mmCIF file of all heavy atoms in Angstrom:
data_model
loop_
_atom_site.group_PDB
_atom_site.id
_atom_site.type_symbol
_atom_site.label_atom_id
_atom_site.label_comp_id
_atom_site.label_asym_id
_atom_site.label_seq_id
_atom_site.Cartn_x
_atom_site.Cartn_y
_atom_site.Cartn_z
ATOM 1 N N LEU V 67 -31.299 104.520 79.135
ATOM 2 C CA LEU V 67 -32.537 103.836 78.908
ATOM 3 C C LEU V 67 -33.629 104.401 79.819
ATOM 4 O O LEU V 67 -34.766 104.660 79.383
ATOM 5 C CB LEU V 67 -32.402 102.338 79.126
ATOM 6 C CG LEU V 67 -31.540 101.619 78.076
ATOM 7 C CD1 LEU V 67 -31.157 100.211 78.551
ATOM 8 C CD2 LEU V 67 -32.328 101.451 76.757
ATOM 9 N N ILE V 68 -33.316 104.543 81.069
ATOM 10 C CA ILE V 68 -34.284 105.107 82.027
ATOM 11 C C ILE V 68 -34.641 106.520 81.651
ATOM 12 O O ILE V 68 -35.855 106.854 81.603
ATOM 13 C CB ILE V 68 -33.711 105.083 83.478
ATOM 14 C CG1 ILE V 68 -33.579 103.644 83.968
ATOM 15 C CG2 ILE V 68 -34.571 105.914 84.447
ATOM 16 C CD1 ILE V 68 -32.808 103.477 85.242
ATOM 17 N N GLU V 69 -33.684 107.298 81.251
ATOM 18 C CA GLU V 69 -33.898 108.733 80.857
ATOM 19 C C GLU V 69 -34.906 108.823 79.640
ATOM 20 O O GLU V 69 -35.747 109.602 79.592
ATOM 21 C CB GLU V 69 -32.578 109.339 80.483
ATOM 22 C CG GLU V 69 -32.575 110.792 80.046
ATOM 23 C CD GLU V 69 -31.196 111.250 79.617
ATOM 24 O OE1 GLU V 69 -30.247 111.009 80.438
ATOM 25 O OE2 GLU V 69 -31.051 111.849 78.567
ATOM 26 N N ASN V 70 -34.756 107.842 78.720
ATOM 27 C CA ASN V 70 -35.572 107.797 77.496
ATOM 28 C C ASN V 70 -36.871 107.043 77.724
ATOM 29 O O ASN V 70 -37.732 106.957 76.789
ATOM 30 C CB ASN V 70 -34.826 107.206 76.341
ATOM 31 C CG ASN V 70 -33.762 108.123 75.805
ATOM 32 O OD1 ASN V 70 -33.993 109.247 75.553
ATOM 33 N ND2 ASN V 70 -32.561 107.564 75.657
ATOM 34 N N LYS V 71 -37.013 106.469 78.931
ATOM 35 C CA LYS V 71 -38.196 105.579 79.222
ATOM 36 C C LYS V 71 -38.282 104.423 78.276
ATOM 37 O O LYS V 71 -39.361 104.026 77.806
ATOM 38 C CB LYS V 71 -39.520 106.401 79.222
ATOM 39 C CG LYS V 71 -39.551 107.480 80.279
ATOM 40 C CD LYS V 71 -40.842 108.250 80.223
ATOM 41 C CE LYS V 71 -41.059 109.135 81.422
ATOM 42 N NZ LYS V 71 -40.212 110.327 81.503
ATOM 43 N N TYR V 72 -37.140 103.805 77.962
ATOM 44 C CA TYR V 72 -37.029 102.665 77.083
ATOM 45 C C TYR V 72 -36.854 101.399 77.883
ATOM 46 O O TYR V 72 -36.207 101.397 78.949
ATOM 47 C CB TYR V 72 -35.807 102.798 76.148
ATOM 48 C CG TYR V 72 -35.944 103.770 75.007
ATOM 49 C CD1 TYR V 72 -34.798 104.196 74.366
ATOM 50 C CD2 TYR V 72 -37.137 104.260 74.567
ATOM 51 C CE1 TYR V 72 -34.864 105.086 73.307
ATOM 52 C CE2 TYR V 72 -37.219 105.141 73.501
ATOM 53 C CZ TYR V 72 -36.076 105.556 72.858
ATOM 54 O OH TYR V 72 -36.128 106.450 71.839
ATOM 55 N N HIS V 73 -37.349 100.316 77.288
ATOM 56 C CA HIS V 73 -37.033 98.942 77.816
ATOM 57 C C HIS V 73 -36.161 98.286 76.738
ATOM 58 O O HIS V 73 -36.249 98.581 75.542
ATOM 59 C CB HIS V 73 -38.328 98.186 77.997
ATOM 60 C CG HIS V 73 -39.095 98.604 79.175
ATOM 61 N ND1 HIS V 73 -39.997 99.659 79.089
ATOM 62 C CD2 HIS V 73 -39.085 98.271 80.480
ATOM 63 C CE1 HIS V 73 -40.498 99.864 80.289
ATOM 64 N NE2 HIS V 73 -39.977 99.032 81.143
ATOM 65 N N ILE V 74 -35.270 97.396 77.187
ATOM 66 C CA ILE V 74 -34.333 96.736 76.259
ATOM 67 C C ILE V 74 -34.503 95.224 76.430
ATOM 68 O O ILE V 74 -34.843 94.718 77.482
ATOM 69 C CB ILE V 74 -32.893 97.127 76.598
ATOM 70 C CG1 ILE V 74 -31.934 96.640 75.529
ATOM 71 C CG2 ILE V 74 -32.475 96.689 78.003
ATOM 72 C CD1 ILE V 74 -30.555 97.207 75.612
ATOM 73 N N SER V 75 -34.323 94.549 75.271
ATOM 74 C CA SER V 75 -34.290 93.094 75.232
ATOM 75 C C SER V 75 -33.117 92.680 74.321
ATOM 76 O O SER V 75 -32.826 93.360 73.364
ATOM 77 C CB SER V 75 -35.612 92.495 74.713
ATOM 78 O OG SER V 75 -36.648 92.810 75.580
ATOM 79 N N PHE V 76 -32.538 91.554 74.686
ATOM 80 C CA PHE V 76 -31.420 91.049 73.919
ATOM 81 C C PHE V 76 -31.784 89.702 73.257
ATOM 82 O O PHE V 76 -32.541 88.905 73.840
ATOM 83 C CB PHE V 76 -30.204 90.745 74.850
ATOM 84 C CG PHE V 76 -29.657 91.997 75.465
ATOM 85 C CD1 PHE V 76 -30.007 92.375 76.728
ATOM 86 C CD2 PHE V 76 -28.700 92.813 74.771
ATOM 87 C CE1 PHE V 76 -29.531 93.527 77.308
ATOM 88 C CE2 PHE V 76 -28.222 93.903 75.360
ATOM 89 C CZ PHE V 76 -28.599 94.310 76.643
ATOM 90 N N ALA V 77 -31.298 89.492 72.057
ATOM 91 C CA ALA V 77 -31.381 88.226 71.352
ATOM 92 C C ALA V 77 -29.924 87.789 71.123
ATOM 93 O O ALA V 77 -29.253 88.329 70.227
ATOM 94 C CB ALA V 77 -32.093 88.358 70.056
ATOM 95 N N GLU V 78 -29.486 86.870 71.945
ATOM 96 C CA GLU V 78 -28.016 86.486 71.919
ATOM 97 C C GLU V 78 -27.870 85.070 71.432
ATOM 98 O O GLU V 78 -28.595 84.191 71.751
ATOM 99 C CB GLU V 78 -27.454 86.613 73.339
ATOM 100 C CG GLU V 78 -27.560 88.026 73.933
ATOM 101 C CD GLU V 78 -26.912 88.144 75.255
ATOM 102 O OE1 GLU V 78 -25.647 87.959 75.343
ATOM 103 O OE2 GLU V 78 -27.606 88.339 76.259
ATOM 104 N N SER V 79 -26.809 84.940 70.600
ATOM 105 C CA SER V 79 -26.398 83.620 70.151
ATOM 106 C C SER V 79 -25.035 83.328 70.749
ATOM 107 O O SER V 79 -24.931 82.817 71.823
ATOM 108 C CB SER V 79 -26.424 83.539 68.656
ATOM 109 O OG SER V 79 -26.201 82.196 68.207
ATOM 110 N N CYS V 80 -23.963 83.780 70.125
ATOM 111 C CA CYS V 80 -22.602 83.397 70.540
ATOM 112 C C CYS V 80 -22.269 83.977 71.898
ATOM 113 O O CYS V 80 -21.390 83.394 72.602
ATOM 114 C CB CYS V 80 -21.572 83.778 69.493
ATOM 115 S SG CYS V 80 -21.333 85.529 69.272
ATOM 116 N N THR V 81 -22.919 85.009 72.349
ATOM 117 C CA THR V 81 -22.629 85.577 73.699
ATOM 118 C C THR V 81 -23.345 84.814 74.793
ATOM 119 O O THR V 81 -23.064 85.058 75.990
ATOM 120 C CB THR V 81 -22.972 87.083 73.744
ATOM 121 O OG1 THR V 81 -24.217 87.302 73.156
ATOM 122 C CG2 THR V 81 -21.901 87.895 73.013
ATOM 123 N N GLY V 82 -24.337 84.018 74.418
ATOM 124 C CA GLY V 82 -24.925 83.111 75.392
ATOM 125 C C GLY V 82 -25.557 83.778 76.629
ATOM 126 O O GLY V 82 -25.529 83.155 77.713
ATOM 127 N N GLY V 83 -26.015 84.993 76.536
ATOM 128 C CA GLY V 83 -26.621 85.643 77.678
ATOM 129 C C GLY V 83 -25.724 86.629 78.403
ATOM 130 O O GLY V 83 -26.106 87.260 79.382
ATOM 131 N N LEU V 84 -24.499 86.815 77.897
ATOM 132 C CA LEU V 84 -23.514 87.742 78.606
ATOM 133 C C LEU V 84 -23.994 89.179 78.522
ATOM 134 O O LEU V 84 -23.691 89.929 79.449
ATOM 135 C CB LEU V 84 -22.177 87.624 77.990
ATOM 136 C CG LEU V 84 -21.313 86.479 78.460
ATOM 137 C CD1 LEU V 84 -19.913 86.512 77.758
ATOM 138 C CD2 LEU V 84 -21.076 86.478 79.992
ATOM 139 N N CYS V 85 -24.667 89.586 77.499
ATOM 140 C CA CYS V 85 -25.195 90.940 77.419
ATOM 141 C C CYS V 85 -26.182 91.208 78.490
ATOM 142 O O CYS V 85 -26.151 92.208 79.230
ATOM 143 C CB CYS V 85 -25.781 91.243 76.014
ATOM 144 S SG CYS V 85 -24.559 91.301 74.696
ATOM 145 N N SER V 86 -27.191 90.290 78.632
ATOM 146 C CA SER V 86 -28.194 90.411 79.682
ATOM 147 C C SER V 86 -27.542 90.366 81.073
ATOM 148 O O SER V 86 -27.866 91.190 81.884
ATOM 149 C CB SER V 86 -29.180 89.270 79.573
ATOM 150 O OG SER V 86 -29.932 89.358 78.397
ATOM 151 N N ALA V 87 -26.612 89.481 81.230
ATOM 152 C CA ALA V 87 -25.924 89.340 82.502
ATOM 153 C C ALA V 87 -25.171 90.607 82.903
ATOM 154 O O ALA V 87 -25.113 91.057 84.043
ATOM 155 C CB ALA V 87 -24.978 88.122 82.505
ATOM 156 N N THR V 88 -24.528 91.220 81.921
ATOM 157 C CA THR V 88 -23.815 92.447 82.108
ATOM 158 C C THR V 88 -24.738 93.568 82.536
ATOM 159 O O THR V 88 -24.464 94.336 83.451
ATOM 160 C CB THR V 88 -22.956 92.832 80.893
ATOM 161 O OG1 THR V 88 -22.045 91.748 80.591
ATOM 162 C CG2 THR V 88 -22.210 94.122 81.113
ATOM 163 N N LEU V 89 -25.876 93.663 81.898
ATOM 164 C CA LEU V 89 -26.827 94.707 82.176
ATOM 165 C C LEU V 89 -27.377 94.510 83.630
ATOM 166 O O LEU V 89 -27.533 95.458 84.397
ATOM 167 C CB LEU V 89 -27.995 94.696 81.192
ATOM 168 C CG LEU V 89 -28.930 95.901 81.349
ATOM 169 C CD1 LEU V 89 -28.403 97.062 80.550
ATOM 170 C CD2 LEU V 89 -30.337 95.587 80.913
ATOM 171 N N VAL V 90 -27.633 93.243 83.975
ATOM 172 C CA VAL V 90 -28.174 92.919 85.307
ATOM 173 C C VAL V 90 -27.190 93.192 86.429
ATOM 174 O O VAL V 90 -27.591 93.340 87.578
ATOM 175 C CB VAL V 90 -28.669 91.452 85.316
ATOM 176 C CG1 VAL V 90 -29.044 91.003 86.723
ATOM 177 C CG2 VAL V 90 -29.840 91.323 84.368
ATOM 178 N N ASN V 91 -25.934 93.413 86.108
ATOM 179 C CA ASN V 91 -24.959 93.822 87.123
ATOM 180 C C ASN V 91 -25.260 95.191 87.696
ATOM 181 O O ASN V 91 -24.777 95.589 88.740
ATOM 182 C CB ASN V 91 -23.528 93.875 86.530
ATOM 183 C CG ASN V 91 -22.946 92.511 86.316
ATOM 184 O OD1 ASN V 91 -23.315 91.515 86.948
ATOM 185 N ND2 ASN V 91 -22.023 92.424 85.392
ATOM 186 N N VAL V 92 -26.091 95.961 86.966
ATOM 187 C CA VAL V 92 -26.313 97.344 87.309
ATOM 188 C C VAL V 92 -27.575 97.459 88.143
ATOM 189 O O VAL V 92 -28.605 96.883 87.828
ATOM 190 C CB VAL V 92 -26.524 98.190 86.006
ATOM 191 C CG1 VAL V 92 -26.840 99.627 86.332
ATOM 192 C CG2 VAL V 92 -25.309 98.087 85.100
ATOM 193 N N THR V 93 -27.456 98.258 89.243
ATOM 194 C CA THR V 93 -28.615 98.631 90.040
ATOM 195 C C THR V 93 -29.611 99.336 89.114
ATOM 196 O O THR V 93 -29.212 100.093 88.193
ATOM 197 C CB THR V 93 -28.201 99.619 91.144
ATOM 198 O OG1 THR V 93 -27.213 99.006 91.911
ATOM 199 C CG2 THR V 93 -29.378 99.990 92.042
#
């Protein structure tokens, strides 16, 4: 994402924020 200069957003239902939380684990 950084390499491509992209920003990401998640729209989560059954995962309840786990995708965002997993991404936030990363420096």
Side-chain angles (χ1 to χ4, degrees):
L67 289 164
I68 291 170
E69 181 182 312
N70 288 311
K71 296 181 170 72
Y72 285 163
H73 289 86
I74 189 168
S75 295
F76 296 95
E78 300 184 65
S79 189
C80 68
T81 47
L84 280 179
C85 292
S86 294
T88 299
L89 190 88
V90 171
N91 287 335
V92 179
T93 303

